[in-house]
Amino acid sequence: MTETRRGFLSKAAVLAGMPAAAAPPPNILLLFPDQWRFDWTGANPALDVRTPHLDALARRGVRFTRAIVPSPVCAPSRACLASGKEYEGCGVPNNSYDYPLDQPTFYQALRARGYAVLGCGKFDLHKKTEDWGLDGKRLLKEWGFTDGIDNAGKHDAIRSGAETPKDPYMAYLHRRGLAAAHVEDFRKRKGKEFGATFPTPLDEEAYCDNWLAQNGLNLLRAVPKGKPWFLQVNFTGPHSPMDITARMEKLVRGRSYPQPNRNTQFPPEVHVAIRQNYTAMCENIDRWVGLYLKEIESRGETSNTLVVFSSDHGEMLGDHDRWGKSVPYQPSIGVPLYAAGPAVKSGQVSDALVSIMDLAATFLDYAGATPLKPSGSRSLRPLLEGRTRKHRDFLRSGLNAWRLVWDGRYKLITGFDPGQGQKGRAEAPPLLFDLEADPLENTNLASRDPARVKRLRELLLSGRQV
């Protein structure tokens, strides 16, 4: 379809060879859960995970199979997304830093383009400073939003607001008289965070993902018809602890799941229960995907809304005796990525190498907004519209001392000692995995293939974008 920088010409005008007013830029919905690993969806036939709304999104758009994050921990990953930069340039080395307010964001560029820029949930752009404002609006305008509600993540909410709330979610629980029960529930889970699979005492309305998702719907409903909007919904799940409601628990008990790779920690039945709870959190978010799509349909905006689903990082779920994220294994760095919308070719399953930071350039491209400079982000639009099948030659990710480079088959990791924690150490020997032959990353090939290690190390150190 012939395009202008600011929108799309009508097909009739193109055929007639006559100028026409550009159509309004598309709306953009970004559904962005916290800690959802790449393989935990209905697209994986080896798992009993039921995500009918994501499946439907894939049928009318694109599902990416090799998407990773620039850094597998909350604050750096979200900073890379906001700035469109690789880990080294995002200004947020780890969760002990706030996003630099002098660093431009794609949110600001969308606002300058005339969008209503909305967001709700756990932004994690001021991870160091545990003060969100009771209305959740403390830094939204500085980041580029026109409206929204920023709330704390699971642990941050308890740590900061057990007695006196510092964020809108804990303020809500205090108003309803539920804060003490929620704090006590988290106290019982402390020290056995992943193995604590009992349900939360909170009701469905008060459960954080349901509360914040409803906030997002309310924000969307306040946007006048005809005004372009961007909405980012930052779910707190399926981040640990594995707290689920009684309704959610009933849906998953009795299901079977494979045991973690190389885990020595829990009995098999405990691992299954953990994975049941994780699945329940994912499926609850998928339920909200359906509700958002229904809301967009009711507004008559389905044909002009780009819908994207992804996550800020993955979850180890016990693989290699590890839980959470922060490490260079695929379950930690790999995330789901789905997209559908105007001009997006339906039914695609793409194995292109893509980074979540690429969403920044993608959104600005579709909006006809001014690109961020400097930026490592690269628009996914040619992939989405079926004009190419290739995006990058390799991907990088990192956190603290470790770095990795992945060419689609071989992955080199430097500065990471599997026997140490997430910080790694610069002198650690390299790890080389062949993800085609060894997708679970159990066999280190570095000593057997020094030539490949050297080539990949050169790519890693070059810093170039291809």
Side-chain angles (χ1 to χ4, degrees), residues 431-442:
L431 302 173
L432 177 67
F433 298 111
D434 178 352
L435 294 187
E436 288 187 10
D438 178 29
L440 298 180
E441 299 168 284
N442 289 331

Side-chain angles (χ1 to χ4, degrees), residues 33 43 76 110 112 121 176 182 230 254 275 277 334 363 395-396 399 425 427 435 461:
L110 288 176
R176 285 199 55 191
H182 185 53
F230 168 90
R275 290 177 169 220
N277 280 39
F363 296 150
L395 292 167
R396 294 189 291 144
L399 179 66
R425 56 188 182 92
E427 67 275 16
L435 294 187
L461 296 176

Side-chain angles (χ1 to χ4, degrees), residues 36 84 166 196 206 225 240 309 320 349 365 422 444:
W36 190 317
K166 294 292 183 62
K225 298 287 182 66
S240 55
F309 178 93
H320 295 279
V349 178
D365 187 359
Q422 66 172 345
N444 181 13

Side-chain angles (χ1 to χ4, degrees), residues 350-354 378-379 382-383 387-394 466:
S350 173
D351 63 358
L353 297 176
V354 298
R378 179 176 297 177
S379 176
L383 284 169
R387 292 184 272 121
T388 185
R389 297 182 62 183
K390 185 175 180 180
H391 187 63
R392 295 179 183 271
D393 291 332
F394 63 87
V466 293

Side-chain angles (χ1 to χ4, degrees), residues 7 22-23 50 55 105 137-138 164 179 227 247 303 306-308 319 333 373 389 411 413 430 460:
R50 305 165 193 179
D55 298 345
T105 68
K137 301 183 188 299
R138 193 172 71 86
T164 303
K227 182 176 180 62
R247 176 194 65 81
S303 63
L306 177 66
V307 180
V308 175
D319 290 339
I333 65 166
K373 293 183 179 180
R389 297 182 62 183
K411 182 168 80 172
I413 303 168
L460 184 60

Side-chain angles (χ1 to χ4, degrees), residues 41 54 66 75 84 97 237 254 322 386 409:
T41 71
L54 285 180
R66 297 197 292 185
Y97 291 79
R322 294 180 179 273
R409 176 172 181 177

Side-chain angles (χ1 to χ4, degrees), residues 18 49 122 135 145 253 259 301 432 434 447:
M18 299 174 61
V49 182
K122 177 190 174 186
D135 60 359
F145 290 85
R253 291 295 180 251
Q259 291 293 299
E301 296 174 339
L432 177 67
D434 178 352
S447 62

